[in-house]
Amino acid sequence: MRASLASSIAVTCAAALALPVSLAAPAAAVPSALGLPQAVSALPSTTPAEPQPLSAPPPTAPHTTGELPPTTPVAPQRLPELPPTSDAAPPAVSELPSTSDAASQPLPELPSTSQAAPPAAGGPAGEQASTQPAGPQAAGALPPAPDLPGSTQSLPLGPLAGSTRGMGDGEADAGEQGLTRRDVRPFSLVGVVWDDPAAPLHGTVQVRTRATGGAGWSAWQDVETHNEEHGADPDTAEGTTRTLRGSTAPLWVGDSDGVEIRVHGEEPLPTGLRLELVDPGEDPAPEDPAPEDPAAGAPRNRTAAAPAAPATPTTPGLPAVLAGLSAAEAAASGVNSQLAAFGATWIPALSKEKTELTIRQAPPRTVAHAPVANAAAKPYIGPRPKIITRKGWGADERLREKGFVYTKTIKAAFVHHSATGNNYSCGQAPSVLRSIYRYHVKSSGWRDFGYNFAVDKCGNIYEGRAGGVAKPVLGAHTLGFNTNSMGIAVLGTYSRSAPPAATVTAIARLTAWKLGLHGVNPKGPAYLVSGGGNRYRKGTTVRFNAIAGHRDGFATECPGVRLYNKLPTTRTTSAKYQGRL
């Protein structure tokens, strides 16, 4: 009888406990996942019936207590579903040096701008990361999603009146193509692209524009057509992806809403000519400035061109999502986390002494392949200059491909001019960078901004391709010699105009620091193996100056004769910053 009564009581207790426990499980899962005490206080309201059954029949209390543990595993089983973004953020922060996991997070955000991306995924085996964004498709006709800052209008060119038509042999027109004057949505940068990246455009490209809200038209402006010497090396993943297009250099024209273009071919024009009109979008909101190292001696910004870094660093270990960063922004910022806080809009300058101290104290993986890092002797390295980060100039991290690609070390720095013209103010430099970035990725089909760094006419230094300013990031700047080198783009055209002194000084400061990280003497030689080009055959070992011009590795006019002639002085100044002279 007692056994029957005990059994009946046990069944009754189990039935009474079933409903409250199942209702309480979701509430219990929340505090265990987020660590929030507020959620714990909600439990009593859902479990008032539990104490009465447990205390009424003392003999069964141990039995009831023994049944409670099976209900507690319910919460852990539900944990992964509750905060998917917060759980994913810490690996993106802590594993950023490995790059692949951190940067893979932004891909789910891309479908709105790359609905035509699946064909691109069929590129070379194992290169989904370099082919996933549908650069050409987005540039071809589809407008960008409204949540992305900036936009690209892509207009097909057609024969102009009086052009020489092909004779029915299927070849492209050898005469003129273009567009007559027309109203368009606002834009600030122009360029021309075509289907085959290996097909050169032999001829001239000229545009004229109308300022937004104005009535007058500009004079005809030349667009640099010889741009094939920029880009990824042949036979590399980026250099062989099917998203690539042939392209001219981009030209900054300022805020405009009218355009006219004419393309004259000295030979049959490449097929699929399109005019790209790039709107850089709004500048990022400025933040409160933070103090710099007073002993750094770095040149101050001469304008308020770029926003300042946060005055208060992010709490160490705080998940990037809770710091207001997307996964893609966390990846791009995290690779610089040993130099500045997460989300910083610039990396502060350091004195030479503090720079040397950071090199000695840095773990081996922080400064890759840098012999000076563990050297007993005083390292030859220049003071770290102030560098405006990608977040500082407003890079949309969802545009670039996921992950970062590195080379082994940095042996040389190639100096370029962007050939975008000099008609920009230093306050517009971030807009110029965002326009070039969008043109490189969405119009030309590159994986990211091509250059590792950029310098404006006021001497401001900007982070270029994502992956970390202190790391050997593989760029797409000097065709055939991107491996084991870095590319610096000076914003402007310096074929006839002399570069400002502040710009030349900034190049010297940047190279003194970055080459110093890798034990390179700015006045010394550098030996690189050609990946193929129009000047050196693939596999040829070439001797360069450690600070070289683009024309040293490829038959091109870049970086302009006036800037190229400043490089000998730049080498000497850079070596002085390192303490070698």
mmCIF file of all heavy atoms in Angstrom, residues 500-518:
data_model
loop_
_atom_site.group_PDB
_atom_site.id
_atom_site.type_symbol
_atom_site.label_atom_id
_atom_site.label_comp_id
_atom_site.label_asym_id
_atom_site.label_seq_id
_atom_site.Cartn_x
_atom_site.Cartn_y
_atom_site.Cartn_z
ATOM 1 N N PRO A 500 53.682 67.799 -53.933
ATOM 2 C CA PRO A 500 53.960 68.675 -52.790
ATOM 3 C C PRO A 500 55.025 68.077 -51.872
ATOM 4 O O PRO A 500 55.176 66.854 -51.784
ATOM 5 C CB PRO A 500 52.608 68.774 -52.080
ATOM 6 C CG PRO A 500 51.593 68.407 -53.116
ATOM 7 C CD PRO A 500 52.272 67.393 -53.995
ATOM 8 N N ALA A 501 55.743 68.954 -51.187
ATOM 9 C CA ALA A 501 56.795 68.490 -50.280
ATOM 10 C C ALA A 501 56.211 67.605 -49.178
ATOM 11 O O ALA A 501 56.850 66.627 -48.757
ATOM 12 C CB ALA A 501 57.510 69.697 -49.668
ATOM 13 N N ALA A 502 55.010 67.929 -48.701
ATOM 14 C CA ALA A 502 54.399 67.118 -47.647
ATOM 15 C C ALA A 502 54.162 65.690 -48.115
ATOM 16 O O ALA A 502 54.279 64.741 -47.329
ATOM 17 C CB ALA A 502 53.076 67.753 -47.197
ATOM 18 N N THR A 503 53.852 65.521 -49.386
ATOM 19 C CA THR A 503 53.617 64.181 -49.931
ATOM 20 C C THR A 503 54.905 63.381 -49.968
ATOM 21 O O THR A 503 54.948 62.203 -49.581
ATOM 22 C CB THR A 503 53.011 64.290 -51.340
ATOM 23 O OG1 THR A 503 51.766 64.982 -51.265
ATOM 24 C CG2 THR A 503 52.811 62.924 -51.957
ATOM 25 N N VAL A 504 55.974 64.009 -50.443
ATOM 26 C CA VAL A 504 57.264 63.319 -50.530
ATOM 27 C C VAL A 504 57.754 62.937 -49.136
ATOM 28 O O VAL A 504 58.277 61.834 -48.929
ATOM 29 C CB VAL A 504 58.292 64.211 -51.253
ATOM 30 C CG1 VAL A 504 59.660 63.529 -51.306
ATOM 31 C CG2 VAL A 504 57.819 64.551 -52.661
ATOM 32 N N THR A 505 57.571 63.827 -48.171
ATOM 33 C CA THR A 505 57.965 63.525 -46.794
ATOM 34 C C THR A 505 57.165 62.351 -46.238
ATOM 35 O O THR A 505 57.707 61.476 -45.545
ATOM 36 C CB THR A 505 57.763 64.767 -45.899
ATOM 37 O OG1 THR A 505 58.581 65.838 -46.382
ATOM 38 C CG2 THR A 505 58.136 64.463 -44.454
ATOM 39 N N ALA A 506 55.877 62.324 -46.547
ATOM 40 C CA ALA A 506 55.031 61.226 -46.055
ATOM 41 C C ALA A 506 55.485 59.885 -46.621
ATOM 42 O O ALA A 506 55.479 58.874 -45.910
ATOM 43 C CB ALA A 506 53.573 61.492 -46.421
ATOM 44 N N ILE A 507 55.891 59.849 -47.891
ATOM 45 C CA ILE A 507 56.399 58.602 -48.476
ATOM 46 C C ILE A 507 57.654 58.150 -47.738
ATOM 47 O O ILE A 507 57.828 56.964 -47.435
ATOM 48 C CB ILE A 507 56.688 58.783 -49.973
ATOM 49 C CG1 ILE A 507 55.396 59.128 -50.728
ATOM 50 C CG2 ILE A 507 57.311 57.527 -50.562
ATOM 51 C CD1 ILE A 507 55.638 59.522 -52.181
ATOM 52 N N ALA A 508 58.521 59.101 -47.437
ATOM 53 C CA ALA A 508 59.760 58.768 -46.733
ATOM 54 C C ALA A 508 59.464 58.222 -45.335
ATOM 55 O O ALA A 508 60.073 57.239 -44.888
ATOM 56 C CB ALA A 508 60.664 59.997 -46.651
ATOM 57 N N ARG A 509 58.539 58.839 -44.635
ATOM 58 C CA ARG A 509 58.208 58.393 -43.280
ATOM 59 C C ARG A 509 57.561 57.003 -43.307
ATOM 60 O O ARG A 509 57.877 56.141 -42.488
ATOM 61 C CB ARG A 509 57.262 59.390 -42.608
ATOM 62 C CG ARG A 509 57.874 60.744 -42.324
ATOM 63 C CD ARG A 509 56.914 61.625 -41.540
ATOM 64 N NE ARG A 509 56.655 61.057 -40.224
ATOM 65 C CZ ARG A 509 57.394 61.295 -39.138
ATOM 66 N NH1 ARG A 509 58.458 62.073 -39.231
ATOM 67 N NH2 ARG A 509 57.096 60.746 -37.983
ATOM 68 N N LEU A 510 56.649 56.807 -44.245
ATOM 69 C CA LEU A 510 55.969 55.515 -44.335
ATOM 70 C C LEU A 510 56.944 54.393 -44.668
ATOM 71 O O LEU A 510 56.919 53.326 -44.042
ATOM 72 C CB LEU A 510 54.863 55.594 -45.390
ATOM 73 C CG LEU A 510 54.118 54.296 -45.703
ATOM 74 C CD1 LEU A 510 53.441 53.728 -44.462
ATOM 75 C CD2 LEU A 510 53.095 54.525 -46.815
ATOM 76 N N THR A 511 57.808 54.613 -45.634
ATOM 77 C CA THR A 511 58.757 53.566 -46.020
ATOM 78 C C THR A 511 59.807 53.322 -44.943
ATOM 79 O O THR A 511 60.247 52.186 -44.750
ATOM 80 C CB THR A 511 59.441 53.926 -47.345
ATOM 81 O OG1 THR A 511 60.013 55.251 -47.246
ATOM 82 C CG2 THR A 511 58.461 53.897 -48.506
ATOM 83 N N ALA A 512 60.205 54.364 -44.218
ATOM 84 C CA ALA A 512 61.181 54.178 -43.138
ATOM 85 C C ALA A 512 60.621 53.237 -42.083
ATOM 86 O O ALA A 512 61.345 52.394 -41.533
ATOM 87 C CB ALA A 512 61.542 55.527 -42.518
ATOM 88 N N TRP A 513 59.334 53.361 -41.819
ATOM 89 C CA TRP A 513 58.710 52.490 -40.815
ATOM 90 C C TRP A 513 58.434 51.097 -41.378
ATOM 91 O O TRP A 513 58.866 50.099 -40.815
ATOM 92 C CB TRP A 513 57.404 53.126 -40.324
ATOM 93 C CG TRP A 513 56.603 52.227 -39.442
ATOM 94 C CD1 TRP A 513 56.920 51.828 -38.171
ATOM 95 C CD2 TRP A 513 55.361 51.593 -39.763
ATOM 96 N NE1 TRP A 513 55.944 50.992 -37.679
ATOM 97 C CE2 TRP A 513 54.971 50.832 -38.635
ATOM 98 C CE3 TRP A 513 54.529 51.605 -40.890
ATOM 99 C CZ2 TRP A 513 53.800 50.079 -38.606
ATOM 100 C CZ3 TRP A 513 53.363 50.866 -40.864
ATOM 101 C CH2 TRP A 513 53.003 50.115 -39.735
ATOM 102 N N LYS A 514 57.726 51.025 -42.510
ATOM 103 C CA LYS A 514 57.286 49.718 -43.012
ATOM 104 C C LYS A 514 58.460 48.876 -43.503
ATOM 105 O O LYS A 514 58.538 47.668 -43.217
ATOM 106 C CB LYS A 514 56.262 49.907 -44.140
ATOM 107 C CG LYS A 514 55.627 48.602 -44.647
ATOM 108 C CD LYS A 514 54.864 47.888 -43.551
ATOM 109 C CE LYS A 514 54.251 46.573 -44.027
ATOM 110 N NZ LYS A 514 53.017 46.754 -44.800
ATOM 111 N N LEU A 515 59.395 49.467 -44.234
ATOM 112 C CA LEU A 515 60.577 48.699 -44.642
ATOM 113 C C LEU A 515 61.423 48.329 -43.425
ATOM 114 O O LEU A 515 62.041 47.256 -43.389
ATOM 115 C CB LEU A 515 61.411 49.494 -45.648
ATOM 116 C CG LEU A 515 60.773 49.744 -47.021
ATOM 117 C CD1 LEU A 515 61.708 50.572 -47.897
ATOM 118 C CD2 LEU A 515 60.432 48.426 -47.715
ATOM 119 N N GLY A 516 61.442 49.215 -42.423
ATOM 120 C CA GLY A 516 62.188 48.917 -41.202
ATOM 121 C C GLY A 516 61.633 47.715 -40.463
ATOM 122 O O GLY A 516 62.387 46.971 -39.821
ATOM 123 N N LEU A 517 60.315 47.510 -40.524
ATOM 124 C CA LEU A 517 59.722 46.329 -39.891
ATOM 125 C C LEU A 517 60.296 45.044 -40.464
ATOM 126 O O LEU A 517 60.328 44.016 -39.792
ATOM 127 C CB LEU A 517 58.204 46.327 -40.103
ATOM 128 C CG LEU A 517 57.376 47.373 -39.341
ATOM 129 C CD1 LEU A 517 55.916 47.275 -39.759
ATOM 130 C CD2 LEU A 517 57.507 47.197 -37.842
ATOM 131 N N HIS A 518 60.749 45.106 -41.703
ATOM 132 C CA HIS A 518 61.258 43.920 -42.390
ATOM 133 C C HIS A 518 62.763 43.996 -42.635
ATOM 134 O O HIS A 518 63.298 43.259 -43.458
ATOM 135 C CB HIS A 518 60.498 43.740 -43.703
ATOM 136 C CG HIS A 518 59.028 43.518 -43.495
ATOM 137 N ND1 HIS A 518 58.481 42.274 -43.330
ATOM 138 C CD2 HIS A 518 58.002 44.398 -43.391
ATOM 139 C CE1 HIS A 518 57.169 42.391 -43.137
ATOM 140 N NE2 HIS A 518 56.862 43.662 -43.169
#
